[in-house]
Amino acid sequence: MLNRRTVLATGALTAVPLSTPLGALAQGRKDAVTLAMTLEPPGLDPTAGAASAIAEIVHYNIFESLTKINADGTVSPLLAEGWEVSPDLKTYTFKLRRNVKFSNGEPFNAATVKFAFDRAGGDKSTNKDKRTFANLTTQVVDDYTVVLLNKEIDPDLLFVLGQATSIIVEPKSADTNATKPVGTGPYQLQAWNKGSSVVLTAWDAYRDAKAIKIKRATFRFIADPAAQVAALLAGDVDAFPRVTPRSVAQFKANPKFQVVVSGSRAKTILAINNARKPLDDVRVRRAIAAAIDRKAVIEGAGDGYGAPIGSHYVPGAFGYVDTTGINPFDIEKSKRLLAEAGIKTPLELTLTLPPPPYARQGGEVIAAQLAKVGIIAKIQNVEWAQWLSGTYGNKNYDLTIVSHVEPFDLGNFAKPDYYWGYNSPKFNDLFNQIKNTARPADRARLLGEAQRLLANDAVHGFLYSNQWITVANKNLKGLWKDMPVFVNDLSALSWG
């Protein structure tokens, strides 16, 4: 059990970086890099929306947090230079980094930390981790000391405080961060060419500006899998994190490229709207799960890159138990469950698919599998903004495919108003115990129970944990080997 921990920064932060408007220029300039992304973010404020594409551009680059999550999943100091944790795991005392300012010239101090966290947990907050911040009371001791009092025990809090939802925002600019982001990081927004790219440039007044080796970073948006491959082959981009797995073999065989296969905490699921009939019947949900051949989905959606999961938890995570045997692939069982539920086939359901290739490709595979048991999944392809507003926001869907990339998001199943409409008093009680249990062995046992409950309730068709592919110029150094969170950490990159 963790009783007390003090962490101090051991050296200056380094920031390096990325990007140019044209790949050809990037290849010839060692102070610029061009990255590509599948999705364009709806805005640039990670406290205002759930889209992971926001953090891929701004987290650790424009905005910073008290802690920083590293590629191996460990946590190190960032805006906090050290901290202490009380024996009961409910009080965190942070010593803040001095001589830090925001890009609009305002100072960073304990008052801004309190503002950011109070805002994140306030009544008007749209932060997807609002519940976490609502449980925190932030106290200012002096300009460079802040205390967080947590209503619950959360051994993962230091990790959570390094996520994009925990960025420290400046009060005067907070409301306009979606289009005019102001942070303490090494970069500023130079241009956002809607539908095409975002350009960041190094901020000369950054506290460690001399460490910035790359002065310009361009993020290009390329959704089409074939276009992604073509852009890499043409040299139009220097790196494509989380690129489509297509043509991996040709990149591995090409000496101009490096291919990095990353583990992740992401869970790709066939999300089921538990609040809609007949999907509110557990037998129907179990029938859907039994109709799915996970291995075939991994081949079709991820070109073989992925590990099957039976619940909303991934192998290697603390407390993981293998639940893939609870709802195994069994076509006859699926048909039998539908009959027991009184379902007359064909049963027509909508399958809403956002743009990422794993969703579009996986949707075709799953629709074909469901058809074998008499479920007609009518595919509706939507853009990301439509998915966020209609599916996630208005819960207007039957089935959808999406990757949940947050490492610690079991708590979403304790939110009855969350987009999948799951409401289980038993799970709520389990999760409350998890949040208030300090002894690791007890937490692991409870986490196992929670995973089994979600699997038995067949809340979703739990598919696989993603393995992400990064293809990059062989001379680009510092790419993350694993991806515990979705960021493009420019400070880690350099040209070799």
Side-chain angles (χ1 to χ4, degrees):
M1 174 179 166
L2 177 65
N3 291 319
R4 175 183 170 96
R5 177 167 52 172
T6 302
V7 179
L8 294 175
T10 57
L13 295 176
T14 58
V16 191
L18 297 107
S19 256
T20 99
L22 296 175
L25 288 178
Q27 301 293 340
R29 293 173 52 192
K30 296 309 179 186
D31 64 349
V33 175
T34 297
L35 297 186
M37 295 168 48
T38 298
L39 298 176
E40 181 174 11
L44 297 176
D45 180 1
T47 73
S52 61
I54 303 172
E56 291 184 60
I57 293 176
V58 302
H59 195 198
Y60 302 146
N61 300 327
I62 294 177
F63 296 113
E64 295 180 311
S65 41
L66 293 184
T67 65
K68 183 174 184 177
I69 300 165
N70 304 305
D72 61 0
T74 59
V75 176
S76 58
L78 189 50
L79 287 177
E81 62 181 16
W83 53 78
E84 295 181 357
V85 184
S86 65
D88 65 358
L89 303 184
K90 289 188 175 182
T91 302
Y92 293 73
T93 302
F94 290 90
K95 290 295 184 181
L96 305 182
R97 192 176 296 276
R98 296 170 182 263
N99 301 316
V100 175
K101 63 181 179 179
F102 292 88
S103 59
N104 64 355
E106 294 294 320
F108 162 77
N109 52 36
T112 53
V113 174
K114 178 174 174 56
F115 169 82
F117 290 171
D118 287 353
R119 176 177 178 266
D123 293 339
K124 297 181 180 179
S125 172
T126 56
N127 193 309
K128 68 182 180 67
D129 288 334
K130 177 179 177 179
R131 183 183 185 275
T132 296
F133 294 103
N135 284 329
L136 297 178
T137 298
T138 306
Q139 297 179 345
V140 174
V141 177
D142 56 45
D143 281 351
Y144 300 104
T145 308
V146 66
V147 174
L148 301 184
L149 305 176
N150 200 351
K151 294 178 182 178
E152 301 173 332
I153 293 172
D154 186 357
D156 302 318
L157 184 62
L158 292 171
F159 189 104
V160 172
L161 293 179
Q163 295 184 149
T165 51
S166 301
I167 60 168
I168 306 303
V169 298
E170 194 280 312
K172 295 179 181 178
S173 58
D175 291 340
T176 57
N177 275 334
T179 55
K180 300 176 182 178
V182 171
T184 57
Y187 286 85
Q188 293 179 289
L189 175 67
Q190 176 178 326
W192 185 357
N193 306 304
K194 293 291 181 70
S196 176
S197 65
V198 166
V199 181
L200 306 185
T201 53
W203 175 33
D204 291 340
Y206 176 62
R207 60 185 179 273
D208 196 15
K210 292 182 179 179
I212 306 301
K213 295 181 175 65
I214 293 178
K215 303 302 182 183
R216 185 181 177 91
T218 300
F219 294 84
R220 290 186 55 194
F221 311 123
I222 308 174
D224 180 71
Q228 293 178 3
V229 173
L232 282 163
L233 290 173
D236 291 337
V237 298
D238 298 314
F240 205 136
R242 297 169 290 277
V243 71
T244 176
R246 291 183 184 178
S247 304
V248 166
Q250 76 179 95
F251 286 116
K252 284 185 175 180
N254 191 326
K256 295 180 180 179
F257 295 97
Q258 57 179 309
V259 177
V260 182
V261 180
S262 299
S264 78
R265 299 291 182 90
K267 287 81 55 179
T268 295
I269 62 173
L270 175 69
I272 300 174
N273 191 340
N274 285 233
R276 278 194 176 180
K277 292 184 179 300
L279 302 173
D280 59 343
D281 189 325
V282 68
R283 294 169 297 185
V284 176
R285 299 197 301 272
R286 286 173 179 165
I288 291 172
I292 296 173
D293 180 350
R294 293 185 183 96
K295 291 184 178 179
V297 174
I298 292 171
E299 286 296 329
D303 289 73
Y305 291 95
I309 56 173
S311 185
H312 206 75
Y313 223 65
V314 302
F318 174 78
Y320 170 79
V321 293
D322 185 355
T323 55
T324 53
I326 292 178
N327 290 309
F329 175 49
D330 189 333
I331 289 180
E332 294 308 314
K333 178 183 177 182
S334 177
K335 292 178 179 178
R336 188 168 62 250
L337 285 167
L338 288 173
E340 289 177 7
I343 299 297
K344 294 181 179 180
T345 55
L347 170 63
E348 291 192 356
L349 299 172
T350 59
L351 176 55
T352 304
L353 302 177
Y358 72 79
R360 298 280 170 90
Q361 295 168 202
E364 296 287 347
V365 175
I366 287 177
Q369 292 179 349
L370 293 177
K372 294 179 180 179
V373 300
I375 298 175
I376 308 302
K378 297 191 296 183
I379 291 176
Q380 295 181 348
N381 291 331
V382 298
E383 294 307 309
W384 189 237
Q386 292 174 285
W387 190 94
L388 287 170
S389 61
T391 306
Y392 182 83
N394 295 328
K395 310 175 185 65
N396 183 23
Y397 77 104
D398 293 325
L399 309 171
T400 188
I401 297 177
V402 68
S403 285
H404 281 260
V405 302
E406 303 90 343
F408 307 113
D409 58 352
L410 272 182
N412 288 334
F413 291 89
K415 301 175 183 176
D417 59 344
Y418 201 61
Y419 81 95
W420 50 57
Y422 177 67
N423 189 4
S424 167
K426 185 175 181 181
F427 181 87
N428 295 347
D429 179 64
L430 263 176
F431 188 70
N432 187 57
Q433 292 181 59
I434 291 168
K435 296 291 286 185
N436 288 284
T437 299
R439 188 168 176 265
D442 292 335
R443 290 188 74 246
R445 174 180 55 80
L446 291 168
L447 283 166
E449 291 182 25
Q451 293 166 64
R452 293 185 188 95
L453 177 58
L454 295 178
N456 280 304
D457 280 353
V459 183
H460 304 304
F462 297 105
L463 303 176
Y464 62 95
S465 174
N466 304 65
Q467 290 177 302
W468 304 113
I469 307 298
T470 296
V471 175
N473 182 295
K474 69 173 183 178
N475 296 319
L476 188 61
K477 308 300 181 183
L479 294 165
W480 278 23
K481 183 180 184 298
D482 290 308
M483 296 183 187
V485 289
F486 268 24
V487 299
N488 290 301
D489 182 12
L490 308 186
S491 67
L493 297 181
S494 63
W495 284 104

